[in-house]
Amino acid sequence: MNSELEKLHPYPFERLLALKDSVEAPAALSPIALSIGEPKHPAPAFVAQRLSESLDGLSRYPFTRGEQALRETIVDWLGQRFKLPANSLDAQRHILPVSGTREALFAFAQATFDRARGGYVLMPNPFYQIYEGAALLAGAEPYYLNTPASHGYLPDFDAVSEQTWARCQLLYLCSPGNPTGAVIDSARLQQLIALAEKHNFIIASDECYSEIYADESMPPVGLLQAAAQAGYDDYRRCVVFHSLSKRSNLPGLRSGFVAGDEKIIADFLKYRTYHGCAMPHHHQSASIAAWQDEAHVEHNRHLYRAKFDAVLAILPAELGLTRPAAGFYLWPQTPINDVEFTRGLYAQQNVTVLPGSFLSRPTRDGDPGENRVRLALVAELEECISAAKRIRSFIESLS
Ligand SMILES: Cc1ncc(COP(=O)(O)O)c(C=O)c1O
């Protein structure tokens, strides 16, 4: 077996299942799960319809590079959403459809990290664990960038030494962040692009929560947008990852894309030809319909806002919560250890949350997941309200 498999950490949900196995939840209360970041709003009906009308491609192999029509739709969407200079993106050269960003984020490190050179893959901490697994299986050393409350839930990039940047081959960004919802601004992204130029590394910006944001007039900025603003309209060293899973409530469609630096996209396509992960024709047709419509996305944001309004009004102040700029998570501090909090809440209230330390790693500067939990506001409004009330009761029972 590949000996690097042994370096992989158990996935957070495996650890959560083991934790719950040791506890009995009260049967009189209906179970509520705020633990999994899986959207629960209905998938748009027009997308399902397009899917079922597009089955004539079942007898043909799809191309790894996807159909031109999908790539053109993506170019239009990116251009409008991130105000990119006209003609700076070409559907043939800058875009690749992917079967969900999870596989793409993983595959990207395998394709780009040069084992012979060695070095780091930098990533936020806490994180989406795929970044870490991807780095480990690519033969890299993960380097964790803590995102503490004291730093606006973003990494302190200024504190990273020149030697560390010099050893960095790949930087994963997650903006808006999972689990913190914090957004990296354009000035900071431009600074990171300049560092990537200086130290010859690639930036992989996971932007799969970019369409779930609090203020309709302030959509989060993206890496390509920042690159264009800084004059890098060839997007060199920059690649973004976008998904229909959260934007359009389509996690089961497995549809996203990567876009950016033409040379990196060409090499990634070469890798993916062997990897074998082309998106089925009917998923591509359905994806075109989804990327072309913004009304359902706006409605989706409206639903999440209503849940944040309601839940934040119920949860006690001691959780230290403010409304995140984007995403659908809350990342409260817990009055007791996060694992004990999760266990106790489940045992007393039948509400499942995810311990923060299952999403983070301890570092010399502490463990930024310790004494925090992640709450995903994915359930229907009424269920989120019940969950918030039960969390409040549990906290009251602690004092
Ligand atoms: C930060 C982050 N990136 C990527 C993904 C993967 O999403 P998908 O593979 O559905 O596009 C997730 C899913 O939860 C996520 O939280």
Side-chain angles (χ1 to χ4, degrees):
M1 295 298 284
N2 179 346
S3 60
E4 264 142 11
L5 278 174
E6 282 169 24
K7 296 184 186 163
L8 295 180
H9 295 257
Y11 214 62
F13 298 108
E14 280 173 53
R15 296 174 67 187
L16 183 62
L17 274 182
L19 184 154
K20 286 173 66 176
D21 265 353
S22 63
V23 193
E24 187 99 28
L29 289 171
S30 59
I32 304 181
L34 301 183
S35 43
I36 304 184
E38 181 183 72
K40 297 263 183 270
H41 303 159
F46 68 91
V47 176
Q49 190 180 340
R50 180 72 72 87
L51 189 67
S52 65
E53 288 166 0
S54 311
L55 296 176
D56 52 341
L58 283 178
S59 54
R60 285 181 286 124
Y61 276 116
F63 296 124
T64 305
R65 88 161 57 238
E67 284 156 35
Q68 179 75 4
L70 173 57
R71 282 182 276 113
E72 280 172 5
T73 302
I74 291 169
V75 164
D76 289 345
W77 182 80
L78 276 171
Q80 276 166 31
R81 167 64 177 83
F82 295 106
K83 303 182 177 62
L84 303 179
N87 305 322
S88 64
L89 283 180
D90 178 80
Q92 190 71 17
R93 293 181 287 122
H94 294 106
I95 311 289
L96 270 185
V98 298
S99 298
T101 47
R102 181 183 181 126
E103 65 89 352
L105 287 160
F106 174 78
F108 195 69
Q110 317 314 310
T112 56
F113 189 83
D114 178 3
R115 283 172 186 263
R117 233 172 93 203
Y120 295 133
V121 171
L122 271 59
M123 63 195 71
N125 184 33
F127 48 44
Y128 181 51
Q129 195 160 309
I130 298 301
Y131 314 146
E132 184 193 53
L136 290 169
L137 282 185
E141 197 179 328
Y143 188 100
Y144 306 110
L145 302 168
N146 291 356
T147 60
S150 58
H151 207 265
Y153 299 104
L154 292 172
D156 184 359
F157 295 108
D158 295 334
V160 177
S161 70
E162 283 286 305
Q163 295 93 306
T164 301
W165 287 124
R167 293 203 64 207
C168 172
Q169 286 199 36
L170 176 62
L171 164 65
Y172 280 112
L173 300 178
C174 186
S175 178
N178 169 5
T180 67
V183 173
I184 305 177
D185 67 24
S186 179
R188 181 60 81 179
L189 290 172
Q190 292 181 37
Q191 186 196 0
L192 293 172
I193 296 168
L195 279 164
E197 276 287 290
K198 181 172 173 196
H199 295 288
N200 187 24
F201 62 82
I202 295 171
I203 308 180
S205 182
D206 178 356
E207 301 179 358
C208 76
Y209 291 92
S210 68
E211 304 316 290
I212 313 291
Y213 48 89
D215 181 344
E216 203 60 33
S217 68
M218 279 181 63
V221 66
L223 181 68
L224 298 187
Q225 188 174 7
Q229 284 166 356
Y232 297 103
D233 60 5
D234 59 356
Y235 306 114
R236 60 182 179 271
R237 301 177 193 285
C238 297
V239 174
V240 294
F241 295 71
H242 281 272
S243 172
L244 289 175
S245 299
K246 327 289 182 198
R247 172 188 181 270
S248 300
N249 303 315
L250 290 166
L253 190 66
R254 312 309 304 130
S255 178
F257 67 82
V258 299
D261 182 313
E262 151 176 15
K263 168 79 171 69
I264 298 172
I265 294 290
D267 287 341
F268 194 33
L269 171 60
K270 185 173 176 186
Y271 173 91
R272 294 177 67 73
T273 308
Y274 286 85
H275 194 69
C277 42
M279 195 191 298
H281 294 290
H282 48 300
H283 290 218
Q284 295 194 50
S285 299
S287 302
I288 290 173
W291 287 115
Q292 284 176 340
D293 183 76
E294 288 300 324
H296 75 284
V297 192
E298 203 177 318
H299 178 64
N300 205 24
R301 283 194 288 276
H302 170 75
L303 296 177
Y304 283 118
R305 270 178 217 136
K307 290 194 261 188
F308 276 112
D309 285 343
V311 167
L312 286 169
I314 297 166
L315 291 176
E318 65 186 291
L319 294 183
L321 285 169
T322 49
R323 183 184 291 246
F328 51 53
Y329 300 109
L330 286 171
W331 180 237
Q333 60 199 24
T334 49
I336 55 173
N337 166 278
D338 54 296
V339 176
E340 288 314 312
F341 184 93
T342 303
R343 198 196 314 273
L345 179 65
Y346 180 64
Q348 191 191 95
Q349 300 287 347
N350 209 351
V351 173
T352 307
V353 299
L354 192 60
S357 58
F358 288 9
L359 292 167
S360 62
R361 297 284 171 256
T363 68
R364 260 183 310 174
D365 299 323
D367 183 338
E370 206 172 64
N371 298 342
R372 291 196 173 261
V373 290
R374 191 185 76 175
L375 316 178
L377 301 190
V378 289
E380 292 301 329
L381 175 65
E382 288 312 314
E383 221 181 5
C384 287
I385 291 174
S386 302
K389 287 181 179 161
R390 293 197 214 171
I391 292 171
R392 188 177 61 192
S393 301
F394 173 63
I395 292 171
E396 281 164 7
S397 77
L398 294 174
S399 51

